[in-house]
């Protein structure tokens, strides 16, 4: 790495050891920097592998996505492309072997890790599984492209039930990895949909075993000491619905009787006819139950999910003074672990229940979804990150009486809401004028049918590939917001510091950066400089003849440079784009990034990491033997090198009695030290588990010798080999 000085190279990504230091861009990023042209907030979703043959630029959108990862370059027709990795309970696709080739095609973009993983019909992923797969994909993508931005899967909707799924994924990640889930960009879908199992909509999220649901505004919680949970939910409105959703092959529902009680119709799994009609009238308050047995399993996704729907009937017993229906609780196999073994009426996990198409077109409900999610982000230290609505639109159609005029009005109201009104100074994104939402993607580019019915959400006609009336409405909104521009930006900067091991040696620094033109217009000749702050010293100067606009093939470039300084520091360096002021651009703060490297002015040698490699072979007498090669990384956590002239580095085997047997020894000297890992060897290691110790000795001026030793437990098996990477955090 340190031998490649001052080159402009293709984007190179590698895992590195980052020693203490700090890097920061000037804290002046604002709305003008984020979206120099407001049309770039608008995106489209397409069900096609590419946009070849589609003149989608007529929509003046800023980005597009298609729920997959294309083999085409990421920026086409002037739009950014956001790939999606499909995540399921069993893994993800594309697989790693394909992602290895796809990631370089989509540099510095936003990757969606799944789409609607909370939905039975889509990903159907349990939160604990998602946390594990997210970690795997996050680390893999970042290891191949440090400038990539990783976004969580968009949920089918934002609701208390979906937020519970997110809480479980968030907490599972913390439990498994000891840190918060690293999300660069948060992501949602804002469909206003029904959530009850066996009804239309995304169903109850996987991993949640029980839920209740009530039609909005129809039910009230009423304290009742005799009830299962000390309360009931009551309604006297005909056709008001209450639900208990459970797992199992039977379920029992408990209802309260009384002199003012009405009649309840009980439906199971959305069957068209009620399974039972229950007259709840009684001279005195009491309880009545109904049990439904031998419930058939659904398909592999719904499995043994069932619900009972309690619906207030129009009729009532003539002796009753009212038609009140009071729901108490339900019992099933999945409720056994709940208090009293019952799913009580006031259970906190509630599915949204919608019964009319008007709810679906409610932009006020979408605003509440944005607030709910942004409030969660603020509560979890994520407020200063962007939020994308990667899919919204109208999935209902003519069957529900929704035609082009209703879709048009909904779309334009949504645009006004997202662009002008969804602002909150307490929970919004500070860098974007406290907007709740930064980008939004309309569903769909082209498509006339969804779920067996004709819809009117397409922006382009799938047969003629011309703009539909809705497409013209979209373009008429976005075209006046469009500004052509060029904007240089440092999209990623990775700084490294290696302090000297021996006295008199220099400190070594390196920089890998990604520079892009975020705009449409090409950029001509400009300069990039790397300087040392507090002096007039120029560390490196690059002359760049051109960067194309983001639709071109040369809109992005990578920089690498390594240099040295003598002395304990601290040092501050600054990377500046367009240092001569040759480019007219809307945002200057993203042209500069600074880095300060400092460490205590003493010697603190440490063994940072020991990475073993094993080669197995058979001895002449047929015994399995192995040769271990251990790459030990030695670093200085202080900024002053040791005055010792020799540093023995040794590898030991620890015997069962605690004694040590020397396996290998290397001596580090000022002449031999290169900064690279030091290779230690153990040859002819026998089958079995072995305890090894790596030691660094000889530095009499080391302030903390406790970090000069690493212990490893390694296995020489007769077949497959699994080796750990041991490192000190």
């Amino acid at each position: 790495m340190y031998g490649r000085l001052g080159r402009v190279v293709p984007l190179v990504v590698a895992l590195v050891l980052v020693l203490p230091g700090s890097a920061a861009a000037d804290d002046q990023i604002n709305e003008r920097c984020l979206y120099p042209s407001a049309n770039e907030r608008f995106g489209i979703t397409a069900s096609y592998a590419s946009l070849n043959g589609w003149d989608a630029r007529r929509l003046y959108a800023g980005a597009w996505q298609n729920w997959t990862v294309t083999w085409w370059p990421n920026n086409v027709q002037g739009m950014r492309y956001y790939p999606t990795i499909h995540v399921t309970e069993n893994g993800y696709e594309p697989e790693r072997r394909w992602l290895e080739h796809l990631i370089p095609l989509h540099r510095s973009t936003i990757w969606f890790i799944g789409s609607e993983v909370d939905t039975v019909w889509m990903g159907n992923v349990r939160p604990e599984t998602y946390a594990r797969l997210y970690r795997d994909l996050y680390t893999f993508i970042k290891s191949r492209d440090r400038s990539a931005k990783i976004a969580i899967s968009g949920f089918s909707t934002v609701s208390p039930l979906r937020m519970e799924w997110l809480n479980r994924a968030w907490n599972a990640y913390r439990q498994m990895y000891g840190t918060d889930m690293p999300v660069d960009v948060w992501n949602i879908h804002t469909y206003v949909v029904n959530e009850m199992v066996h009804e239309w909509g995304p169903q109850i999220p996987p991993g949640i075993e029980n839920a209740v649901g009530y039609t909005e505004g129809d039910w009230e919680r009423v304290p009742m000491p005799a009830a299962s949970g000390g309360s009931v939910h009551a309604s006297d409105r005909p056709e008001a619905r209450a639900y208990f959703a459970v797992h199992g092959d039977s379920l029992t529902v408990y209802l309260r009787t009384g002199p003012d009680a009405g009649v309840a119709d009980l439906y199971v799994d959305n069957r068209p006819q009620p399974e039972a009609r229950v007259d709840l009238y009684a001279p005195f308050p009491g309880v009545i139950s109904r049990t439904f047995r031998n419930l058939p399993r659904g398909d592999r996704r719904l499995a043994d999910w069932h619900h009972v729907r309690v619906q207030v009937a129009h009729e009532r017993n003539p002796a009753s003074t009212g038609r009140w229906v009071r729901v108490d609780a339900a019992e099933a196999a999945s409720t056994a672990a709940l208090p009293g073994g019952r799913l009580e009426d006031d259970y906190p996990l509630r599915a949204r229940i919608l019964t009319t198409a008007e709810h679906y077109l409610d932009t006020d409900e979408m605003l509440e979804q944005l607030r709910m999610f942004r409030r969660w982000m603020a509560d979890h230290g994520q407020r200063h990150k962007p939020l994308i609505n990667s899919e919204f639109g109208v999935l209902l159609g003519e069957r529900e009486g929704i035609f082009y005029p209703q879709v048009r009005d909904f779309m334009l109201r949504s645009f006004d809401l997202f662009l002008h009104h969804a602002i909150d100074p307490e929970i919004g994104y500070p860098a974007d004028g406290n907007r709740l939402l930064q980008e939004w993607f309309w569903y769909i580019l082209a498509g006339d049918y969804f779920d067996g019915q004709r819809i009117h959400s397409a922006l382009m006609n799938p047969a003629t590939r011309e703009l539909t009336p809705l497409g013209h409405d979209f373009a008429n909104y976005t075209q006046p917001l469009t500004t052509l521009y060029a904007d240089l930006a440092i999209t990623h900067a990775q700084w490294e510091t290696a302090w000297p091991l021996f006295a008199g040696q220099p400190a070594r620094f390196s920089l890998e950066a990604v520079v892009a033109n975020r705009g449409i217009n090409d950029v001509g000749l400009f300069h990039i400089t790397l300087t040392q702050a507090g002096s007039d010293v120029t560390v490196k100067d690059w002359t760049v003849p051109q960067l194309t606009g983001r639709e071109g093939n040369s809109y992005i470039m990578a920089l690498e440079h390594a240099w040295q300084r003598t002395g304990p520091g601290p040092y501050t360096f600054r990377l500046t784009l367009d240092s001569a002021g040759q480019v007219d651009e809307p945002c200057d703060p993203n042209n500069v990034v600074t880095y300060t490297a400092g460490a205590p002015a003493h010697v603190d040698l440490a063994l940072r990491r020991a990475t073993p490699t094993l080669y197995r072979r058979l001895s002449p007498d047929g015994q399995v033997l192995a040769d271990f090669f251990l790459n030990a990384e030695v670093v200085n956590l202080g900024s002053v090198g040791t005055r010792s002239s020799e540093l023995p580095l040794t590898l030991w085997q620890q015997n069962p009695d605690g004694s040590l047997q020397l396996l290998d020894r290397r001596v580090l000297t000022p002449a031999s030290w290169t900064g690279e890992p030091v290779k230690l060897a153990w040859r002819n290691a026998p089958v079995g588990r072995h305890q090894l110790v790596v030691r660094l000795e000889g530095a009499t001026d080391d302030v903390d010798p406790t970090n000069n030793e690493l212990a490893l437990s390694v296995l020489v098996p007769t077949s497959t080999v699994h080796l750990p990477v041991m490192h000190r955090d």
Side-chain angles (χ1 to χ4, degrees):
M1 171 176 285
Y2 294 101
R4 295 178 292 173
L5 302 182
R7 293 196 294 160
V8 177
V9 298
L11 184 62
V12 177
V13 179
L15 288 172
V16 296
L17 169 68
V18 181
L19 292 180
S22 61
D26 290 345
D27 189 18
Q28 302 173 18
I29 302 299
N30 52 36
E31 175 186 349
R32 184 68 172 147
C33 290
L34 293 173
Y35 299 98
S37 183
N39 73 304
E40 294 176 337
R41 298 179 183 272
F42 296 74
I44 55 176
T45 57
S47 56
Y48 305 94
S50 77
L51 293 182
N52 287 345
W54 296 86
D55 188 9
R57 70 175 66 245
R58 290 179 292 172
L59 293 167
Y60 297 95
W64 74 288
Q65 56 124 344
N66 61 350
W67 310 295
T68 187
V69 187
T70 74
W71 287 92
W72 301 92
N74 57 334
N75 294 330
V76 296
Q77 300 189 24
M79 294 184 292
R80 306 179 305 278
Y81 171 67
Y82 299 162
T84 301
I85 299 175
H86 182 56
V87 177
T88 70
E89 185 70 19
N90 299 318
Y92 52 80
E93 57 182 22
E95 300 172 358
R96 276 194 176 203
R97 61 193 178 109
W98 298 116
L99 288 174
E100 194 80 58
H101 304 287
L102 287 163
I103 292 170
L105 297 177
H106 305 294
R107 300 174 296 177
S108 298
T109 194
I110 296 173
W111 291 79
F112 295 138
I113 307 302
S115 177
E116 297 190 356
V117 295
D118 62 301
T119 302
V120 166
W121 316 121
M122 298 288 286
N124 198 24
V125 186
R126 298 173 68 86
E128 298 79 11
T129 302
Y130 185 77
R132 175 175 53 82
L133 296 176
Y134 182 91
R135 164 83 169 198
D136 187 43
L137 285 166
Y138 182 94
T139 54
F140 184 76
I141 295 171
K142 290 282 190 176
S143 71
R144 270 64 181 175
D145 179 8
R146 291 179 182 167
S147 64
K149 303 297 183 185
I150 310 300
I152 198 170
S153 168
F155 304 132
S156 54
T157 186
V158 180
S159 70
L161 208 55
R162 261 59 195 177
M163 300 312 291
E164 173 63 19
W165 188 99
L166 176 58
N167 280 327
R168 294 186 183 187
W170 180 266
N171 293 335
Y173 194 99
R174 284 194 60 86
Q175 184 176 6
M176 286 188 281
Y177 306 112
T179 186
D180 288 343
M181 183 181 289
V183 178
D184 298 320
V185 178
W186 288 92
N187 179 25
I188 57 174
H189 298 169
T190 56
Y191 291 115
V192 183
V193 290
N194 194 63
E195 294 182 289
M196 180 48 60
V197 65
H198 285 289
E199 294 200 353
W200 73 276
Q203 312 292 293
I204 293 172
I208 293 177
E209 302 300 318
N210 304 283
V212 298
Y214 301 97
T215 47
E216 185 176 355
D218 290 338
W219 298 82
E220 60 177 322
R221 180 182 179 273
V222 179
M224 182 176 288
S228 300
S231 70
V232 295
H233 268 65
S235 178
D236 65 349
R237 298 183 182 182
E239 301 188 17
R241 300 179 179 188
Y243 293 80
F244 293 98
V246 295
H247 284 279
D249 60 4
S250 68
L251 68 86
T252 300
V253 61
Y254 295 88
L255 307 172
R256 308 304 297 192
T257 59
D260 62 348
V263 174
D265 289 327
L266 306 184
Y267 296 79
V268 174
D269 295 345
N270 206 31
R271 296 170 188 168
Q273 299 300 322
E275 301 295 316
R277 167 163 280 203
V278 183
D279 184 355
L280 300 174
Y281 169 76
F284 302 100
V287 64
I288 192 171
S289 66
R290 288 291 184 271
T291 299
F292 304 95
R293 297 183 174 87
N294 301 317
L295 298 174
R297 290 176 65 88
D299 65 15
R300 63 180 177 83
R301 291 164 295 188
L302 292 179
D304 63 346
W305 263 116
H306 299 286
H307 79 243
V308 59
R309 182 175 95 219
V310 182
Q311 186 163 312
V312 179
H314 289 266
E315 298 79 11
R316 66 177 178 177
N317 189 309
S320 176
T321 60
R323 55 167 54 92
W324 286 97
V325 172
R326 298 176 177 91
V327 295
D328 183 337
E331 279 184 2
S334 62
T335 69
L338 298 178
R342 292 181 176 180
L343 175 60
E344 298 167 354
D345 70 296
D346 205 32
Y347 192 62
L349 300 185
R350 300 190 180 185
R352 182 193 292 125
I353 306 298
L354 302 180
T355 57
T356 67
E358 286 74 17
H359 285 100
Y360 193 90
L361 302 175
D362 188 351
T363 52
D364 289 339
E365 173 61 28
M366 290 197 344
L367 177 59
E368 287 308 307
Q369 291 190 34
L370 297 181
R371 286 177 174 153
M372 183 185 303
F373 202 88
R374 269 288 178 189
R375 196 170 293 113
W376 184 95
M377 290 176 62
D379 290 343
H380 290 77
Q382 305 294 301
R383 180 185 174 187
H384 291 266
K385 292 182 180 179
L387 175 63
I388 288 178
N389 184 357
S390 63
E391 186 181 324
F392 81 105
V394 181
L395 300 179
L396 302 184
E398 295 180 0
R399 188 168 58 211
E400 288 82 17
I402 296 179
F403 294 86
Y404 160 67
Q406 293 100 316
V407 177
R408 175 200 60 213
D409 292 347
F410 170 79
M411 182 183 75
L412 297 179
R413 289 199 316 273
S414 301
F415 289 171
D416 286 343
L417 171 67
F418 298 155
L419 187 62
H420 301 298
H421 305 302
I423 299 172
D424 191 313
E426 307 232 341
I427 57 176
Y429 184 32
D432 193 21
N434 287 317
R435 280 187 173 85
L436 300 177
L437 193 62
Q438 280 57 68
E439 298 179 26
W440 42 91
F441 287 68
W442 178 259
Y443 177 94
I444 185 171
L445 176 65
D448 290 337
Y449 289 87
F450 182 85
D451 196 26
Q453 69 167 319
R454 183 171 178 80
I455 62 174
H456 295 272
S457 298
L459 302 175
M460 300 186 76
N461 186 300
T464 66
R465 301 195 176 188
E466 295 296 325
L467 293 183
T468 64
L470 191 70
H472 284 288
D473 295 325
F474 188 105
N476 289 339
Y477 197 104
T478 54
Q479 195 273 339
L481 302 174
T482 303
T483 301
L484 300 181
Y485 69 95
D487 182 33
L488 299 176
I490 302 169
T491 62
H492 173 77
Q494 182 70 47
W495 306 79
E496 297 176 56
T497 301
W499 296 105
L501 205 64
F502 293 96
Q505 291 182 329
R508 294 172 294 138
F509 305 93
S510 68
L511 167 66
E512 292 181 4
V514 178
V515 176
N517 179 4
R518 301 170 58 240
I520 295 294
N521 296 341
D522 294 348
V523 173
L525 181 73
F526 67 96
H527 289 269
I528 304 173
T529 57
L530 175 63
T531 57
Q532 181 174 336
S535 70
D536 295 328
V537 176
T538 297
V539 178
K540 176 65 180 175
D541 182 86
W542 292 267
T543 299
V544 183
Q546 183 187 46
L547 277 186
T548 65
R550 62 172 182 256
E551 189 175 349
N553 293 326
S554 302
Y555 76 99
I556 191 169
M557 62 180 290
L559 307 175
E560 286 185 359
H561 189 60
W563 66 103
Q564 300 178 351
R565 288 292 183 270
T566 301
Y571 297 95
T572 298
F573 302 101
R574 174 169 294 191
L575 181 68
T576 306
L577 307 184
D578 189 29
S579 51
Q582 298 162 285
V583 180
D584 182 18
E585 50 184 327
C587 179
D588 290 327
N590 59 13
N591 288 10
V592 179
V593 63
T594 59
Y595 171 73
T596 298
H602 56 225
V603 180
D604 185 9
L605 306 187
L607 282 169
R608 188 77 175 195
R609 187 189 301 264
T611 307
T613 304
L614 179 145
Y615 297 94
R616 294 167 54 252
R617 55 187 171 82
L618 291 177
S619 66
D621 59 356
Q623 297 296 314
V624 177
L625 298 175
D627 291 337
F628 269 108
F629 295 97
L630 198 68
N631 286 325
E633 297 182 18
V634 181
V635 297
N636 186 1
L637 302 180
S639 61
V640 177
T642 178
R643 295 191 177 278
S644 300
S645 59
E646 293 187 347
L647 300 175
L649 184 65
T650 52
L651 175 64
W652 303 80
Q653 181 185 11
Q654 186 173 4
N655 298 316
D657 62 1
S659 62
L660 297 176
Q661 177 183 348
L662 182 64
L663 301 176
D664 197 10
R665 183 175 187 268
R666 296 284 188 272
V667 177
L668 310 183
T669 66
S672 66
W673 174 245
T674 64
E676 299 298 323
V678 181
K679 181 175 288 188
L680 297 167
W682 178 25
R683 300 185 184 276
N684 301 325
V687 170
R689 182 167 293 280
H690 306 282
Q691 306 302 317
L692 304 180
V693 176
V694 184
R695 284 181 176 172
L696 178 68
E697 301 173 297
T700 58
D701 47 0
D702 193 337
V703 299
D704 183 15
T706 62
N707 55 18
N708 292 3
E709 182 175 297
L710 281 178
L712 299 84
S713 179
V714 296
L715 175 67
V716 180
T718 56
S719 56
T720 306
V721 178
H722 299 280
L723 292 176
V725 173
M726 307 301 295
H727 63 92
R728 188 184 309 280
D729 294 325

